mmCIF file of all heavy atoms in Angstrom:
data_model
loop_
_atom_site.group_PDB
_atom_site.id
_atom_site.type_symbol
_atom_site.label_atom_id
_atom_site.label_comp_id
_atom_site.label_asym_id
_atom_site.label_seq_id
_atom_site.Cartn_x
_atom_site.Cartn_y
_atom_site.Cartn_z
ATOM 1 N N MET A 1 10.292 -11.897 92.783
ATOM 2 C CA MET A 1 10.913 -12.358 91.557
ATOM 3 C C MET A 1 10.488 -11.407 90.416
ATOM 4 O O MET A 1 9.279 -11.054 90.381
ATOM 5 C CB MET A 1 10.521 -13.784 91.326
ATOM 6 C CG MET A 1 11.292 -14.505 90.301
ATOM 7 S SD MET A 1 10.918 -16.260 90.403
ATOM 8 C CE MET A 1 11.862 -16.775 89.090
ATOM 9 N N ASP A 3 9.719 -10.759 86.530
ATOM 10 C CA ASP A 3 9.540 -11.359 85.198
ATOM 11 C C ASP A 3 9.776 -10.387 84.095
ATOM 12 O O ASP A 3 9.546 -9.159 84.208
ATOM 13 C CB ASP A 3 7.993 -11.787 85.071
ATOM 14 C CG ASP A 3 7.661 -12.875 86.061
ATOM 15 O OD1 ASP A 3 8.497 -13.678 86.380
ATOM 16 O OD2 ASP A 3 6.429 -12.987 86.426
ATOM 17 N N ASP A 6 7.201 -8.302 77.512
ATOM 18 C CA ASP A 6 7.354 -7.602 76.247
ATOM 19 C C ASP A 6 6.699 -6.234 76.222
ATOM 20 O O ASP A 6 5.935 -5.911 77.130
ATOM 21 C CB ASP A 6 6.924 -8.500 75.052
ATOM 22 C CG ASP A 6 5.419 -8.780 75.019
ATOM 23 O OD1 ASP A 6 4.738 -8.183 75.919
ATOM 24 O OD2 ASP A 6 5.021 -9.530 74.181
ATOM 25 N N ASP A 8 4.229 -5.078 74.393
ATOM 26 C CA ASP A 8 2.742 -5.101 74.391
ATOM 27 C C ASP A 8 2.181 -5.337 75.761
ATOM 28 O O ASP A 8 1.244 -4.699 76.207
ATOM 29 C CB ASP A 8 2.285 -6.222 73.441
ATOM 30 C CG ASP A 8 2.582 -5.869 71.959
ATOM 31 O OD1 ASP A 8 2.636 -4.698 71.708
ATOM 32 O OD2 ASP A 8 2.693 -6.825 71.163
ATOM 33 N N ARG A 12 -0.155 -2.803 77.960
ATOM 34 C CA ARG A 12 -1.439 -3.232 78.530
ATOM 35 C C ARG A 12 -1.454 -2.921 80.066
ATOM 36 O O ARG A 12 -2.460 -2.454 80.578
ATOM 37 C CB ARG A 12 -1.658 -4.728 78.389
ATOM 38 C CG ARG A 12 -2.187 -5.077 77.009
ATOM 39 C CD ARG A 12 -2.658 -6.528 76.944
ATOM 40 N NE ARG A 12 -1.538 -7.460 77.059
ATOM 41 C CZ ARG A 12 -0.703 -7.877 76.035
ATOM 42 N NH1 ARG A 12 -0.947 -7.405 74.843
ATOM 43 N NH2 ARG A 12 0.201 -8.679 76.267
ATOM 44 N N ARG A 13 -0.378 -3.171 80.729
ATOM 45 C CA ARG A 13 -0.310 -2.868 82.170
ATOM 46 C C ARG A 13 -0.426 -1.335 82.492
ATOM 47 O O ARG A 13 -1.067 -0.948 83.394
ATOM 48 C CB ARG A 13 0.933 -3.444 82.731
ATOM 49 C CG ARG A 13 0.999 -4.927 82.821
ATOM 50 C CD ARG A 13 2.301 -5.428 83.415
ATOM 51 N NE ARG A 13 2.326 -6.888 83.354
ATOM 52 C CZ ARG A 13 3.268 -7.592 83.904
ATOM 53 N NH1 ARG A 13 4.219 -7.021 84.559
ATOM 54 N NH2 ARG A 13 3.275 -8.920 83.812
ATOM 55 N N ILE A 14 0.237 -0.577 81.688
ATOM 56 C CA ILE A 14 0.174 0.903 81.844
ATOM 57 C C ILE A 14 -1.257 1.383 81.599
ATOM 58 O O ILE A 14 -1.733 2.146 82.314
ATOM 59 C CB ILE A 14 1.253 1.616 80.887
ATOM 60 C CG1 ILE A 14 2.620 1.299 81.389
ATOM 61 C CG2 ILE A 14 0.917 3.062 80.829
ATOM 62 C CD1 ILE A 14 3.691 1.734 80.414
ATOM 63 N N ARG A 15 -1.916 0.833 80.597
ATOM 64 C CA ARG A 15 -3.299 1.249 80.268
ATOM 65 C C ARG A 15 -4.240 0.817 81.401
ATOM 66 O O ARG A 15 -5.140 1.590 81.713
ATOM 67 C CB ARG A 15 -3.726 0.683 78.972
ATOM 68 C CG ARG A 15 -3.103 1.254 77.751
ATOM 69 C CD ARG A 15 -3.639 0.768 76.427
ATOM 70 N NE ARG A 15 -3.067 1.562 75.369
ATOM 71 C CZ ARG A 15 -2.873 1.082 74.144
ATOM 72 N NH1 ARG A 15 -3.163 -0.219 73.895
ATOM 73 N NH2 ARG A 15 -2.386 1.913 73.212
ATOM 74 N N GLU A 25 -9.424 8.797 90.727
ATOM 75 C CA GLU A 25 -9.517 10.232 90.728
ATOM 76 C C GLU A 25 -10.954 10.694 90.745
ATOM 77 O O GLU A 25 -11.371 11.524 91.501
ATOM 78 C CB GLU A 25 -8.954 10.808 89.465
ATOM 79 C CG GLU A 25 -8.983 12.360 89.392
ATOM 80 C CD GLU A 25 -8.639 12.917 88.040
ATOM 81 O OE1 GLU A 25 -8.446 12.185 87.085
ATOM 82 O OE2 GLU A 25 -8.569 14.177 87.981
ATOM 83 N N THR A 36 -17.920 18.465 101.175
ATOM 84 C CA THR A 36 -17.631 19.870 101.253
ATOM 85 C C THR A 36 -18.561 20.563 102.360
ATOM 86 O O THR A 36 -18.042 21.404 103.135
ATOM 87 C CB THR A 36 -17.810 20.626 99.882
ATOM 88 O OG1 THR A 36 -16.905 20.005 98.984
ATOM 89 C CG2 THR A 36 -17.635 22.058 99.991
ATOM 90 N N GLY A 42 -12.250 16.682 105.706
ATOM 91 C CA GLY A 42 -12.342 15.487 104.924
ATOM 92 C C GLY A 42 -12.328 15.810 103.443
ATOM 93 O O GLY A 42 -11.815 15.118 102.578
ATOM 94 N N ALA A 43 -13.051 16.894 103.055
ATOM 95 C CA ALA A 43 -13.123 17.375 101.647
ATOM 96 C C ALA A 43 -11.753 17.729 101.158
ATOM 97 O O ALA A 43 -11.415 17.344 100.002
ATOM 98 C CB ALA A 43 -14.098 18.484 101.500
ATOM 99 N N GLU A 45 -8.839 16.610 102.222
ATOM 100 C CA GLU A 45 -8.101 15.374 102.181
ATOM 101 C C GLU A 45 -8.452 14.620 100.875
ATOM 102 O O GLU A 45 -7.598 14.150 100.154
ATOM 103 C CB GLU A 45 -8.273 14.492 103.406
ATOM 104 C CG GLU A 45 -7.717 13.152 103.279
ATOM 105 C CD GLU A 45 -6.130 13.163 103.388
ATOM 106 O OE1 GLU A 45 -5.605 14.089 103.891
ATOM 107 O OE2 GLU A 45 -5.594 12.149 102.889
ATOM 108 N N ALA A 47 -9.776 15.868 98.132
ATOM 109 C CA ALA A 47 -9.345 16.617 96.972
ATOM 110 C C ALA A 47 -7.807 16.392 96.790
ATOM 111 O O ALA A 47 -7.405 16.329 95.619
ATOM 112 C CB ALA A 47 -9.678 18.102 97.212
ATOM 113 N N ALA A 48 -7.061 16.354 97.887
ATOM 114 C CA ALA A 48 -5.682 16.077 97.738
ATOM 115 C C ALA A 48 -5.387 14.747 97.116
ATOM 116 O O ALA A 48 -4.478 14.554 96.281
ATOM 117 C CB ALA A 48 -4.963 16.236 99.055
ATOM 118 N N ALA A 50 -7.410 13.166 95.129
ATOM 119 C CA ALA A 50 -7.796 13.206 93.728
ATOM 120 C C ALA A 50 -6.702 13.800 92.900
ATOM 121 O O ALA A 50 -6.410 13.339 91.798
ATOM 122 C CB ALA A 50 -9.126 14.034 93.638
ATOM 123 N N GLU A 54 -4.698 12.357 89.778
ATOM 124 C CA GLU A 54 -4.657 13.032 88.554
ATOM 125 C C GLU A 54 -3.188 13.167 88.036
ATOM 126 O O GLU A 54 -2.929 12.985 86.816
ATOM 127 C CB GLU A 54 -5.164 14.525 88.780
ATOM 128 C CG GLU A 54 -5.086 15.368 87.551
ATOM 129 C CD GLU A 54 -5.542 16.751 87.833
ATOM 130 O OE1 GLU A 54 -5.648 17.214 89.012
ATOM 131 O OE2 GLU A 54 -5.834 17.494 86.849
ATOM 132 N N ARG A 58 -1.912 11.704 84.474
ATOM 133 C CA ARG A 58 -1.259 12.486 83.477
ATOM 134 C C ARG A 58 0.031 11.854 82.973
ATOM 135 O O ARG A 58 0.387 11.908 81.817
ATOM 136 C CB ARG A 58 -1.068 13.995 83.965
ATOM 137 C CG ARG A 58 -2.276 14.725 83.898
ATOM 138 C CD ARG A 58 -2.102 16.138 84.501
ATOM 139 N NE ARG A 58 -3.321 16.810 84.559
ATOM 140 C CZ ARG A 58 -3.554 17.930 83.931
ATOM 141 N NH1 ARG A 58 -2.659 18.478 83.149
ATOM 142 N NH2 ARG A 58 -4.726 18.534 83.979
ATOM 143 N N VAL A 59 0.824 11.345 83.949
ATOM 144 C CA VAL A 59 2.091 10.651 83.613
ATOM 145 C C VAL A 59 1.822 9.472 82.714
ATOM 146 O O VAL A 59 2.503 9.327 81.685
ATOM 147 C CB VAL A 59 2.850 10.300 84.851
ATOM 148 C CG1 VAL A 59 4.074 9.387 84.531
ATOM 149 C CG2 VAL A 59 3.356 11.527 85.599
ATOM 150 N N MET A 60 0.874 8.667 83.068
ATOM 151 C CA MET A 60 0.572 7.517 82.324
ATOM 152 C C MET A 60 0.044 7.899 80.907
ATOM 153 O O MET A 60 0.362 7.196 79.910
ATOM 154 C CB MET A 60 -0.417 6.565 83.020
ATOM 155 C CG MET A 60 0.205 5.902 84.196
ATOM 156 S SD MET A 60 -0.963 4.875 85.013
ATOM 157 C CE MET A 60 0.147 3.962 86.098
ATOM 158 N N GLU A 62 0.873 10.551 79.269
ATOM 159 C CA GLU A 62 2.051 10.978 78.504
ATOM 160 C C GLU A 62 2.887 9.808 77.980
ATOM 161 O O GLU A 62 3.428 9.883 76.888
ATOM 162 C CB GLU A 62 2.894 11.926 79.338
ATOM 163 C CG GLU A 62 4.070 12.531 78.603
ATOM 164 C CD GLU A 62 3.716 13.410 77.445
ATOM 165 O OE1 GLU A 62 2.639 14.011 77.375
ATOM 166 O OE2 GLU A 62 4.570 13.521 76.512
ATOM 167 N N GLY A 67 2.781 13.871 73.898
ATOM 168 C CA GLY A 67 2.447 15.127 73.171
ATOM 169 C C GLY A 67 1.004 15.460 73.099
ATOM 170 O O GLY A 67 0.584 16.517 72.765
#
Side-chain angles (χ1 to χ4, degrees):
M1 194 168 176
D3 294 330
D6 64 4
D8 289 334
R12 280 191 294 275
R13 291 179 184 188
I14 292 170
R15 286 182 174 150
E25 179 192 8
T36 299
E45 173 69 23
E54 178 185 16
R58 286 178 182 239
V59 168
M60 290 183 168
E62 183 63 27

